[in-house]
Structures are given as structure tokens and as C-alpha cells.
């Protein structure tokens, strides 16, 4: 696992997802500036935690696919169900 590549690509993906850019959310009687909701990802020596749990060891095939997607420069494919309209 190339941790440097993962960190570099996560930074690039954060920019693509709109990090630091507020969006206008219209409401009756006004509007709010809304920041994109962060997706927490914690890297450990022996696995990852995404969305606050559960712990996923690097040996798990779904973890390997998730990290491979990131190393390839893409958002993890497993997020498509959670974000069907994109990030």
C-alpha cells in the first residue's frame, strides 16, 4: 500500500469534491451557506476506518478495492450507493 500516493490522491479528491467551497442552500424566507459534509477516513498500520467504523483490515477484499480506487485517483466505488448523484 502506497500511503504517500493515497494521501496525495485524497487531497486531490477533496478539491474535486468542493473542499473549502460553500454552496447556497435555499430555504423558505432565505438561504444558508452550506459546506460539503466531510467523509472521515482514518488510516492505521493494519487497516482503515471510514465513516467512524467499523475497523476494516487491509486483508479484506473490500478494503483493498477501496484503497485501489483511491490510489488510481478515483472516489471509492463503494460510495456510489451512498452518493448516487455524485459527491
Amino acid at each position: 500500500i502506497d500511503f504517500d500516493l493515497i494521501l496525495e490522491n485524497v487531497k486531490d479528491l477533496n478539491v474535486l469534491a468542493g473542499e473549502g467551497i460553500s454552496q447556497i442552500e435555499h430555504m423558505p424566507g432565505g438561504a444558508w451557506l452550506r459546506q460539503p459534509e466531510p467523509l472521515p477516513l482514518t488510516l492505521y498500520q493494519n487497516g482503515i476506518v471510514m465513516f467512524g467504523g467499523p475497523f476494516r483490515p487491509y486483508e479484506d477484499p473490500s478494503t483493498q478495492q477501496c484503497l485501489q480506487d483511491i490510489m488510481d485517483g478515483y472516489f471509492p466505488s463503494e460510495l456510489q450507493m451512498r452518493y448516487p448523484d455524485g459527491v
Side-chain angles (χ1 to χ4, degrees):
I1 297 173
D2 186 342
F3 291 105
D4 291 331
L5 179 61
I6 289 173
L7 293 176
E8 181 180 323
N9 286 352
V10 164
K11 288 178 186 177
D12 293 342
L13 292 169
N14 283 342
V15 171
L16 284 174
E19 179 180 56
I21 298 173
S22 297
Q23 298 174 346
I24 298 172
E25 184 177 325
H26 297 280
M27 308 187 96
W32 293 90
L33 285 178
R34 185 176 64 84
Q35 298 253 341
E37 190 174 320
L39 187 156
L41 170 66
T42 307
L43 302 172
Y44 293 98
Q45 184 176 357
N46 57 347
I48 67 171
V49 172
M50 191 162 30
F51 294 109
F55 179 79
R56 298 167 54 179
Y58 291 132
E59 294 79 22
D60 185 87
S62 68
T63 304
Q64 292 175 7
Q65 180 62 52
C66 176
L67 294 177
Q68 188 62 53
D69 288 344
I70 294 171
M71 288 189 292
D72 289 343
Y74 298 105
F75 291 101
S77 56
E78 67 186 62
L79 298 179
Q80 288 175 345
M81 295 296 285
R82 192 173 193 138
Y83 299 99
D85 298 327
V87 180

Short mmCIF file of all heavy atoms in Angstrom, two decimals, residues 34-84:
data_model
loop_
_atom_site.label_atom_id
_atom_site.label_comp_id
_atom_site.label_asym_id
_atom_site.label_seq_id
_atom_site.Cartn_x
_atom_site.Cartn_y
_atom_site.Cartn_z
N ARG A 34 -23.79 26.43 2.94
CA ARG A 34 -23.57 25.07 3.46
C ARG A 34 -22.26 24.54 2.92
O ARG A 34 -21.98 24.62 1.73
CB ARG A 34 -24.73 24.17 3.04
CG ARG A 34 -24.67 22.78 3.63
CD ARG A 34 -25.90 21.98 3.24
NE ARG A 34 -26.01 21.75 1.82
CZ ARG A 34 -25.40 20.75 1.16
NH1 ARG A 34 -24.63 19.91 1.80
NH2 ARG A 34 -25.56 20.62 -0.14
N GLN A 35 -21.45 23.99 3.82
CA GLN A 35 -20.19 23.35 3.43
C GLN A 35 -20.46 21.87 3.16
O GLN A 35 -21.32 21.27 3.82
CB GLN A 35 -19.16 23.47 4.56
CG GLN A 35 -18.80 24.88 4.90
CD GLN A 35 -17.41 25.22 4.42
OE1 GLN A 35 -16.63 24.35 4.15
NE2 GLN A 35 -17.14 26.50 4.29
N PRO A 36 -19.76 21.28 2.20
CA PRO A 36 -19.93 19.84 1.97
C PRO A 36 -19.61 19.05 3.25
O PRO A 36 -18.70 19.41 3.99
CB PRO A 36 -18.93 19.51 0.88
CG PRO A 36 -18.60 20.81 0.24
CD PRO A 36 -18.79 21.85 1.29
N GLU A 37 -20.38 18.01 3.50
CA GLU A 37 -20.17 17.19 4.68
C GLU A 37 -18.92 16.33 4.49
O GLU A 37 -18.79 15.65 3.48
CB GLU A 37 -21.38 16.30 4.91
CG GLU A 37 -21.36 15.58 6.23
CD GLU A 37 -22.65 14.83 6.48
OE1 GLU A 37 -23.72 15.37 6.15
OE2 GLU A 37 -22.57 13.70 6.99
N PRO A 38 -17.99 16.36 5.44
CA PRO A 38 -16.77 15.56 5.28
C PRO A 38 -17.03 14.07 5.40
O PRO A 38 -18.00 13.64 6.05
CB PRO A 38 -15.86 16.04 6.42
CG PRO A 38 -16.78 16.60 7.43
CD PRO A 38 -17.99 17.11 6.68
N LEU A 39 -16.19 13.30 4.77
CA LEU A 39 -16.24 11.85 4.84
C LEU A 39 -14.97 11.42 5.58
O LEU A 39 -13.90 11.42 5.01
CB LEU A 39 -16.26 11.26 3.43
CG LEU A 39 -16.49 9.77 3.32
CD1 LEU A 39 -17.05 9.45 1.96
CD2 LEU A 39 -15.28 8.97 3.64
N PRO A 40 -15.09 11.09 6.87
CA PRO A 40 -13.90 10.74 7.63
C PRO A 40 -13.27 9.41 7.20
O PRO A 40 -13.97 8.41 7.03
CB PRO A 40 -14.37 10.68 9.08
CG PRO A 40 -15.86 10.62 9.02
CD PRO A 40 -16.30 11.07 7.67
N LEU A 41 -11.97 9.45 6.98
CA LEU A 41 -11.19 8.26 6.64
C LEU A 41 -9.94 8.28 7.50
O LEU A 41 -9.18 9.25 7.48
CB LEU A 41 -10.80 8.27 5.16
CG LEU A 41 -9.79 7.21 4.72
CD1 LEU A 41 -10.39 5.82 4.84
CD2 LEU A 41 -9.33 7.47 3.30
N THR A 42 -9.76 7.23 8.30
CA THR A 42 -8.58 7.12 9.16
C THR A 42 -7.76 5.93 8.71
O THR A 42 -8.30 4.82 8.58
CB THR A 42 -8.98 6.95 10.64
OG1 THR A 42 -9.87 8.01 11.00
CG2 THR A 42 -7.77 6.99 11.54
N LEU A 43 -6.48 6.16 8.44
CA LEU A 43 -5.56 5.10 8.04
C LEU A 43 -4.76 4.64 9.24
O LEU A 43 -4.20 5.46 9.97
CB LEU A 43 -4.60 5.61 6.96
CG LEU A 43 -5.23 6.15 5.68
CD1 LEU A 43 -4.17 6.80 4.81
CD2 LEU A 43 -5.92 5.05 4.92
N TYR A 44 -4.71 3.34 9.43
CA TYR A 44 -3.92 2.74 10.50
C TYR A 44 -2.86 1.83 9.88
O TYR A 44 -2.91 1.54 8.68
CB TYR A 44 -4.81 1.91 11.45
CG TYR A 44 -5.77 2.74 12.24
CD1 TYR A 44 -7.09 2.89 11.83
CD2 TYR A 44 -5.38 3.39 13.41
CE1 TYR A 44 -7.99 3.64 12.56
CE2 TYR A 44 -6.26 4.16 14.14
CZ TYR A 44 -7.56 4.28 13.71
OH TYR A 44 -8.45 5.04 14.42
N GLN A 45 -1.96 1.36 10.69
CA GLN A 45 -0.90 0.48 10.22
C GLN A 45 -1.46 -0.82 9.64
O GLN A 45 -0.91 -1.36 8.70
CB GLN A 45 0.07 0.16 11.37
CG GLN A 45 1.25 -0.68 10.97
CD GLN A 45 2.22 -0.88 12.12
OE1 GLN A 45 2.04 -0.34 13.19
NE2 GLN A 45 3.25 -1.67 11.89
N ASN A 46 -2.60 -1.27 10.18
CA ASN A 46 -3.14 -2.57 9.77
C ASN A 46 -4.55 -2.49 9.20
O ASN A 46 -5.20 -3.52 9.00
CB ASN A 46 -3.10 -3.55 10.94
CG ASN A 46 -3.86 -3.03 12.15
OD1 ASN A 46 -4.23 -1.86 12.21
ND2 ASN A 46 -4.10 -3.90 13.10
N GLY A 47 -5.07 -1.28 8.92
CA GLY A 47 -6.40 -1.17 8.36
C GLY A 47 -6.90 0.26 8.31
O GLY A 47 -6.14 1.20 8.56
N ILE A 48 -8.18 0.41 7.99
CA ILE A 48 -8.79 1.73 7.88
C ILE A 48 -10.11 1.77 8.64
O ILE A 48 -10.69 0.72 8.96
CB ILE A 48 -9.06 2.13 6.41
CG1 ILE A 48 -10.14 1.24 5.77
CG2 ILE A 48 -7.79 2.13 5.60
CD1 ILE A 48 -10.63 1.71 4.41
N VAL A 49 -10.56 2.97 8.92
CA VAL A 49 -11.90 3.21 9.44
C VAL A 49 -12.47 4.33 8.58
O VAL A 49 -11.86 5.38 8.42
CB VAL A 49 -11.89 3.61 10.93
CG1 VAL A 49 -13.27 4.03 11.38
CG2 VAL A 49 -11.37 2.48 11.79
N MET A 50 -13.65 4.09 8.02
CA MET A 50 -14.32 5.10 7.21
C MET A 50 -15.71 5.32 7.82
O MET A 50 -16.37 4.37 8.24
CB MET A 50 -14.45 4.64 5.75
CG MET A 50 -14.87 5.74 4.83
SD MET A 50 -14.59 5.49 3.05
CE MET A 50 -14.68 3.77 2.77
N PHE A 51 -16.15 6.57 7.90
CA PHE A 51 -17.44 6.94 8.49
C PHE A 51 -17.51 6.56 9.97
O PHE A 51 -18.58 6.25 10.48
CB PHE A 51 -18.61 6.26 7.76
CG PHE A 51 -18.80 6.71 6.36
CD1 PHE A 51 -18.50 5.86 5.31
CD2 PHE A 51 -19.27 7.98 6.06
CE1 PHE A 51 -18.68 6.26 4.01
CE2 PHE A 51 -19.46 8.39 4.76
CZ PHE A 51 -19.16 7.52 3.73
N GLY A 52 -16.40 6.53 10.66
CA GLY A 52 -16.43 6.24 12.08
C GLY A 52 -16.55 4.78 12.45
O GLY A 52 -16.82 4.44 13.59
N GLY A 53 -16.37 3.88 11.50
CA GLY A 53 -16.35 2.47 11.85
C GLY A 53 -17.16 1.64 10.89
O GLY A 53 -17.89 2.17 10.07
N PRO A 54 -17.03 0.38 10.91
CA PRO A 54 -16.14 -0.44 11.74
C PRO A 54 -14.72 -0.47 11.18
O PRO A 54 -14.47 -0.01 10.07
CB PRO A 54 -16.77 -1.84 11.64
CG PRO A 54 -17.35 -1.87 10.27
CD PRO A 54 -17.85 -0.46 10.01
N PHE A 55 -13.80 -1.02 11.96
CA PHE A 55 -12.42 -1.19 11.52
C PHE A 55 -12.39 -2.19 10.38
O PHE A 55 -13.06 -3.23 10.42
CB PHE A 55 -11.56 -1.70 12.68
CG PHE A 55 -10.13 -1.92 12.28
CD1 PHE A 55 -9.25 -0.87 12.19
CD2 PHE A 55 -9.68 -3.20 11.99
CE1 PHE A 55 -7.93 -1.07 11.80
CE2 PHE A 55 -8.36 -3.42 11.60
CZ PHE A 55 -7.49 -2.34 11.51
N ARG A 56 -11.62 -1.86 9.34
CA ARG A 56 -11.52 -2.73 8.16
C ARG A 56 -10.05 -3.06 7.91
O ARG A 56 -9.27 -2.19 7.54
CB ARG A 56 -12.11 -2.02 6.95
CG ARG A 56 -13.58 -1.71 7.12
CD ARG A 56 -14.12 -0.75 6.10
NE ARG A 56 -13.85 -1.19 4.75
CZ ARG A 56 -14.25 -0.52 3.67
NH1 ARG A 56 -14.92 0.60 3.79
NH2 ARG A 56 -13.97 -0.97 2.47
N PRO A 57 -9.65 -4.31 8.13
CA PRO A 57 -8.24 -4.68 7.92
C PRO A 57 -7.88 -4.62 6.44
O PRO A 57 -8.72 -4.79 5.56
CB PRO A 57 -8.15 -6.11 8.45
CG PRO A 57 -9.54 -6.63 8.44
CD PRO A 57 -10.45 -5.45 8.58
N TYR A 58 -6.60 -4.36 6.18
CA TYR A 58 -6.12 -4.28 4.80
C TYR A 58 -6.29 -5.59 4.03
O TYR A 58 -6.37 -5.58 2.82
CB TYR A 58 -4.65 -3.85 4.76
CG TYR A 58 -4.44 -2.42 5.20
CD1 TYR A 58 -3.47 -2.10 6.12
CD2 TYR A 58 -5.21 -1.38 4.68
CE1 TYR A 58 -3.26 -0.78 6.51
CE2 TYR A 58 -5.02 -0.07 5.07
CZ TYR A 58 -4.04 0.22 5.99
OH TYR A 58 -3.84 1.51 6.38
N GLU A 59 -6.37 -6.71 4.74
CA GLU A 59 -6.52 -8.00 4.07
C GLU A 59 -7.92 -8.20 3.50
O GLU A 59 -8.13 -9.05 2.65
CB GLU A 59 -6.21 -9.15 5.04
CG GLU A 59 -4.77 -9.23 5.49
CD GLU A 59 -4.44 -8.22 6.60
OE1 GLU A 59 -5.36 -7.76 7.32
OE2 GLU A 59 -3.26 -7.88 6.74
N ASP A 60 -8.88 -7.43 3.96
CA ASP A 60 -10.26 -7.56 3.50
C ASP A 60 -10.35 -7.10 2.04
O ASP A 60 -9.87 -6.03 1.70
CB ASP A 60 -11.17 -6.71 4.39
CG ASP A 60 -12.63 -6.89 4.03
OD1 ASP A 60 -13.26 -7.82 4.55
OD2 ASP A 60 -13.12 -6.07 3.22
N PRO A 61 -10.95 -7.91 1.16
CA PRO A 61 -11.04 -7.53 -0.25
C PRO A 61 -11.73 -6.19 -0.51
O PRO A 61 -11.33 -5.44 -1.39
CB PRO A 61 -11.82 -8.68 -0.89
CG PRO A 61 -11.60 -9.84 0.01
CD PRO A 61 -11.48 -9.26 1.39
N SER A 62 -12.76 -5.87 0.28
CA SER A 62 -13.46 -4.59 0.06
C SER A 62 -12.56 -3.41 0.44
O SER A 62 -12.62 -2.36 -0.19
CB SER A 62 -14.78 -4.54 0.83
OG SER A 62 -14.55 -4.49 2.22
N THR A 63 -11.73 -3.59 1.45
CA THR A 63 -10.76 -2.55 1.83
C THR A 63 -9.72 -2.38 0.74
O THR A 63 -9.36 -1.25 0.38
CB THR A 63 -10.09 -2.90 3.17
OG1 THR A 63 -11.10 -3.11 4.17
CG2 THR A 63 -9.15 -1.79 3.62
N GLN A 64 -9.24 -3.49 0.21
CA GLN A 64 -8.26 -3.43 -0.88
C GLN A 64 -8.83 -2.72 -2.09
O GLN A 64 -8.15 -1.90 -2.72
CB GLN A 64 -7.79 -4.84 -1.24
CG GLN A 64 -6.97 -5.49 -0.17
CD GLN A 64 -6.63 -6.94 -0.49
OE1 GLN A 64 -6.90 -7.43 -1.58
NE2 GLN A 64 -6.02 -7.62 0.47
N GLN A 65 -10.10 -2.99 -2.43
CA GLN A 65 -10.74 -2.33 -3.57
C GLN A 65 -10.89 -0.83 -3.31
O GLN A 65 -10.64 -0.01 -4.19
CB GLN A 65 -12.09 -2.95 -3.88
CG GLN A 65 -12.80 -2.33 -5.06
CD GLN A 65 -12.01 -2.48 -6.36
OE1 GLN A 65 -11.62 -3.57 -6.70
NE2 GLN A 65 -11.79 -1.37 -7.06
N CYS A 66 -11.30 -0.47 -2.10
CA CYS A 66 -11.46 0.93 -1.72
C CYS A 66 -10.15 1.69 -1.88
O CYS A 66 -10.10 2.75 -2.51
CB CYS A 66 -11.96 1.01 -0.28
SG CYS A 66 -12.11 2.68 0.36
N LEU A 67 -9.08 1.13 -1.35
CA LEU A 67 -7.78 1.79 -1.42
C LEU A 67 -7.23 1.79 -2.84
O LEU A 67 -6.58 2.76 -3.26
CB LEU A 67 -6.80 1.14 -0.45
CG LEU A 67 -7.16 1.33 1.02
CD1 LEU A 67 -6.16 0.59 1.91
CD2 LEU A 67 -7.22 2.79 1.40
N GLN A 68 -7.51 0.75 -3.61
CA GLN A 68 -7.05 0.72 -5.00
C GLN A 68 -7.75 1.82 -5.81
O GLN A 68 -7.11 2.48 -6.63
CB GLN A 68 -7.31 -0.65 -5.63
CG GLN A 68 -6.68 -0.80 -7.01
CD GLN A 68 -5.17 -0.67 -6.97
OE1 GLN A 68 -4.49 -1.36 -6.23
NE2 GLN A 68 -4.63 0.24 -7.78
N ASP A 69 -9.03 2.02 -5.57
CA ASP A 69 -9.76 3.10 -6.23
C ASP A 69 -9.09 4.44 -5.93
O ASP A 69 -8.87 5.26 -6.82
CB ASP A 69 -11.22 3.15 -5.79
CG ASP A 69 -12.06 2.01 -6.34
OD1 ASP A 69 -11.62 1.34 -7.30
OD2 ASP A 69 -13.17 1.78 -5.80
N ILE A 70 -8.77 4.68 -4.66
CA ILE A 70 -8.12 5.94 -4.26
C ILE A 70 -6.75 6.05 -4.91
O ILE A 70 -6.38 7.11 -5.43
CB ILE A 70 -8.04 6.05 -2.73
CG1 ILE A 70 -9.45 6.17 -2.13
CG2 ILE A 70 -7.18 7.26 -2.32
CD1 ILE A 70 -9.49 6.07 -0.62
N MET A 71 -5.96 4.97 -4.89
CA MET A 71 -4.62 5.01 -5.49
C MET A 71 -4.69 5.23 -7.00
O MET A 71 -3.78 5.81 -7.58
CB MET A 71 -3.83 3.74 -5.16
CG MET A 71 -3.39 3.69 -3.71
SD MET A 71 -2.24 2.35 -3.32
CE MET A 71 -3.27 0.90 -3.52
N ASP A 72 -5.81 4.81 -7.63
CA ASP A 72 -6.00 5.04 -9.06
C ASP A 72 -6.52 6.44 -9.35
O ASP A 72 -6.70 6.82 -10.50
CB ASP A 72 -6.97 4.00 -9.64
CG ASP A 72 -6.37 2.60 -9.71
OD1 ASP A 72 -5.13 2.47 -9.63
OD2 ASP A 72 -7.15 1.63 -9.84
N GLY A 73 -6.80 7.22 -8.27
CA GLY A 73 -7.25 8.59 -8.44
C GLY A 73 -8.75 8.76 -8.52
O GLY A 73 -9.24 9.81 -8.93
N TYR A 74 -9.51 7.75 -8.08
CA TYR A 74 -10.96 7.79 -8.14
C TYR A 74 -11.56 7.78 -6.74
O TYR A 74 -10.93 7.30 -5.79
CB TYR A 74 -11.52 6.58 -8.90
CG TYR A 74 -11.07 6.51 -10.33
CD1 TYR A 74 -10.11 5.58 -10.72
CD2 TYR A 74 -11.58 7.38 -11.28
CE1 TYR A 74 -9.68 5.52 -12.04
CE2 TYR A 74 -11.15 7.32 -12.60
CZ TYR A 74 -10.21 6.40 -12.96
OH TYR A 74 -9.78 6.34 -14.27
N PHE A 75 -12.79 8.27 -6.64
CA PHE A 75 -13.53 8.10 -5.39
C PHE A 75 -13.84 6.61 -5.26
O PHE A 75 -14.10 5.94 -6.27
CB PHE A 75 -14.85 8.89 -5.43
CG PHE A 75 -14.64 10.38 -5.40
CD1 PHE A 75 -14.73 11.11 -6.56
CD2 PHE A 75 -14.35 11.03 -4.21
CE1 PHE A 75 -14.54 12.48 -6.54
CE2 PHE A 75 -14.15 12.40 -4.18
CZ PHE A 75 -14.25 13.13 -5.36
N PRO A 76 -13.82 6.06 -4.04
CA PRO A 76 -14.11 4.63 -3.88
C PRO A 76 -15.46 4.26 -4.47
O PRO A 76 -16.48 4.92 -4.23
CB PRO A 76 -14.09 4.44 -2.36
CG PRO A 76 -13.20 5.54 -1.86
CD PRO A 76 -13.47 6.70 -2.78
N SER A 77 -15.48 3.20 -5.26
CA SER A 77 -16.72 2.77 -5.93
C SER A 77 -17.80 2.39 -4.92
O SER A 77 -18.99 2.51 -5.22
CB SER A 77 -16.44 1.60 -6.87
OG SER A 77 -15.83 0.53 -6.19
N GLU A 78 -17.41 2.00 -3.71
CA GLU A 78 -18.40 1.63 -2.70
C GLU A 78 -19.24 2.82 -2.26
O GLU A 78 -20.29 2.65 -1.65
CB GLU A 78 -17.74 0.98 -1.49
CG GLU A 78 -16.87 1.92 -0.69
CD GLU A 78 -16.12 1.21 0.41
OE1 GLU A 78 -15.31 0.32 0.11
OE2 GLU A 78 -16.36 1.54 1.58
N LEU A 79 -18.82 4.04 -2.58
CA LEU A 79 -19.57 5.23 -2.19
C LEU A 79 -20.71 5.55 -3.15
O LEU A 79 -21.53 6.43 -2.88
CB LEU A 79 -18.64 6.44 -2.10
CG LEU A 79 -17.52 6.35 -1.06
CD1 LEU A 79 -16.67 7.60 -1.10
CD2 LEU A 79 -18.10 6.12 0.32
N GLN A 80 -20.79 4.83 -4.27
CA GLN A 80 -21.83 5.11 -5.27
C GLN A 80 -23.23 4.91 -4.69
O GLN A 80 -24.15 5.65 -5.04
CB GLN A 80 -21.64 4.23 -6.50
CG GLN A 80 -20.45 4.64 -7.32
CD GLN A 80 -20.21 3.70 -8.49
OE1 GLN A 80 -20.74 2.59 -8.53
NE2 GLN A 80 -19.39 4.14 -9.43
N MET A 81 -23.41 3.94 -3.83
CA MET A 81 -24.73 3.70 -3.23
C MET A 81 -25.09 4.84 -2.27
O MET A 81 -26.24 5.26 -2.21
CB MET A 81 -24.76 2.37 -2.49
CG MET A 81 -24.58 1.16 -3.39
SD MET A 81 -25.90 0.97 -4.57
CE MET A 81 -27.17 0.35 -3.50
N ARG A 82 -24.10 5.33 -1.56
CA ARG A 82 -24.34 6.39 -0.57
C ARG A 82 -24.50 7.75 -1.23
O ARG A 82 -25.22 8.61 -0.73
CB ARG A 82 -23.18 6.41 0.42
CG ARG A 82 -23.45 7.24 1.63
CD ARG A 82 -22.33 7.07 2.66
NE ARG A 82 -22.74 7.63 3.93
CZ ARG A 82 -22.53 7.08 5.09
NH1 ARG A 82 -21.91 5.94 5.16
NH2 ARG A 82 -22.91 7.66 6.19
N TYR A 83 -23.82 7.96 -2.34
CA TYR A 83 -23.86 9.22 -3.08
C TYR A 83 -24.22 8.94 -4.54
O TYR A 83 -23.39 9.08 -5.45
CB TYR A 83 -22.51 9.93 -3.02
CG TYR A 83 -22.08 10.29 -1.62
CD1 TYR A 83 -21.18 9.49 -0.92
CD2 TYR A 83 -22.57 11.42 -0.98
CE1 TYR A 83 -20.77 9.81 0.36
CE2 TYR A 83 -22.17 11.74 0.31
CZ TYR A 83 -21.28 10.94 0.97
OH TYR A 83 -20.87 11.25 2.24
N PRO A 84 -25.46 8.54 -4.82
CA PRO A 84 -25.83 8.16 -6.19
C PRO A 84 -25.75 9.31 -7.20
O PRO A 84 -25.57 9.08 -8.39
CB PRO A 84 -27.26 7.64 -6.07
CG PRO A 84 -27.77 8.26 -4.80
CD PRO A 84 -26.58 8.43 -3.92
#
